[in-house]
Amino acid sequence: MARIASSSLFRGILMNVRFTQLLKKLASFEKRINKLPNFIIYGRLISVNGLVLEVIGLNIPIGSQCIIERTIDGKNFNINAEVIGFSGTKTLLLSLEEIQGVLPGAYVFLKTSSNMNYFIKKIPLGIELLGRVVDGRGRPLDGLPPLDDKCYTIKNYDNINPLSRKPITKVLDTGIRAINGLLTIGQGQRIGIFSSSGIGKSILLGMIAKYTEADVIVIALIGERGREVKDFIENVLGEKGLVRSVIVAAPADVSPMIRIQAASYATSIAEYFCDKNKHVLLIMDSLTRYAMAQREVSLSLEELPVSKGYPSSIFSKIPNLIERVGNTKKGSITAFYTVLTEGEDGDDQDPVSYLARSILDGHIILSRYYADLGHYPAIDIGSSISRVMPDIVDSEHYKQSCYFKKLVSSYQKNRDLINVGAYIVGTDVILDHAIKIWSNLERFLQQEVSEKSNYSTSCQELKKIFS
């Protein structure tokens, strides 16, 4: 009898435990049901033309986020997409992921239909981004937990009143002797680094990210090799550098929409910290890949190309992105944009290169001649310029930098004559001086990756050359 009573008691306790677990599951299920919208907006996929997906029955604004139904082996692998245009009654979407396995007639759902503000994007912004590596949508790539929902903020892109911008008056210490001494950059300046492949662009960017005096560093790797992300973190920034940095990565193998969003998102992060009275360094590698992504989207929408395959819209997209950077009433954003050139030494025939030159506050040209000689950083001083340098340095420093460029330019133009011994000393006073101190000029322009030269030291070394 005792055993029967004990067994009955055990079964009763077990039933109570199971009943409690069932109640918890029902409560959780009820919460999920309550979160569902009162209505569902959806359409049907009817066509796929290149990158563009055509949907009927989905009447929502441009910029809305959607989910495309996809089932593989009985499992759901839904695809994220974004509305990019219209054609008659059809809504045009661009997938943010691979579309393999999508069937004709697939359902396309509005991603957030719980309120009517579904066209307003919310992006993660906050102090929690420091030390993180994320993609163009703010999703973590570093294996750490996702950012809290509290970090997500509605970001509106308003044009900055030009009269509200503070003038560039303060020197930015980049830690690179050639830039500090001859191409002095100010806080809030926008600089282009023009280079063809294999000249040392990544080396220069690494030195800038490592040595520049800034409160926060935002690095956007747009359309570049995927391996560069890990290499940049481990071999360039290191643990100390990553603590004050945010890295937004959108490699070449992701959707063009993700690459476009990554460039805009990185700029938004820089704007966020700038509003917190911080000096921000924004490094974008590269502006050309951003333009190429815009070209892919525009051509998919059948926009006519006007210059080397680029549509006319690209000539407004790039200025809109760059003009968000600069000095404000609170903080400042100094930006370095890399521009890939088709020819050597910053070919102006490339429309992106030509446009960037016209709207940036200066440009640094990298030379293959110097790179082939093992001369790093491979900066072509004669072709490079900082447009704000005359306003932020003293007259003596500026005269010395101009004379330095004059000596280098004179020597390079007559390099062949000098090498074969055909130049007669005394013919040109400037060239005679350049030949006499050429070893000092070369030494000033070269710098090891592990070497840092602050602004004051760079100015002193420049004075020593002519003392």
Side-chain angles (χ1 to χ4, degrees), residues 9-28:
L9 179 62
F10 176 75
R11 283 197 295 268
I13 293 172
L14 185 61
M15 289 179 64
N16 287 334
V17 171
R18 289 178 176 175
F19 184 70
T20 302
Q21 292 176 345
L22 179 62
L23 288 177
K24 289 182 179 180
K25 289 182 179 180
L26 289 174
S28 175

Side-chain angles (χ1 to χ4, degrees), residues 236-295:
V236 177
L237 284 179
E239 293 183 2
K240 292 183 179 179
L242 185 60
V243 170
R244 61 169 183 156
S245 304
V246 183
I247 298 178
V248 181
D253 60 341
V254 302
S255 163
M257 284 300 297
I258 297 294
R259 280 176 264 154
I260 294 170
Q261 289 179 8
S264 181
Y265 179 39
T267 308
S268 297
I269 296 172
E271 290 173 324
Y272 170 83
F273 286 105
C274 179
D275 290 339
K276 302 297 181 183
N277 300 315
K278 302 293 185 182
H279 169 54
V280 184
L281 173 65
L282 172 63
I283 297 175
M284 188 171 294
D285 185 17
S286 70
L287 190 65
T288 305
R289 303 297 187 196
Y290 167 78
M292 289 179 174
Q294 290 283 7
R295 179 174 62 182

Side-chain angles (χ1 to χ4, degrees), residues 329-392:
K329 293 181 179 179
K330 296 180 180 179
S332 64
I333 305 173
T334 305
F336 287 86
Y337 299 96
T338 63
V339 181
L340 302 175
T341 56
E342 294 180 358
E344 298 299 329
D345 303 331
D347 183 12
D348 279 342
Q349 300 303 314
D350 177 22
V352 177
S353 174
Y354 182 81
L355 177 62
R357 278 174 179 264
S358 65
I359 60 177
L360 291 171
D361 302 320
H363 47 266
I364 298 173
I365 308 297
L366 301 187
S367 168
R368 185 170 296 279
Y369 170 76
Y370 285 122
D372 291 342
L373 293 176
H375 181 296
Y376 291 105
I379 299 174
D380 183 355
I381 290 297
S383 302
S384 304
I385 190 173
S386 171
R387 291 195 174 108
V388 304
M389 182 179 178
D391 302 324
I392 60 176

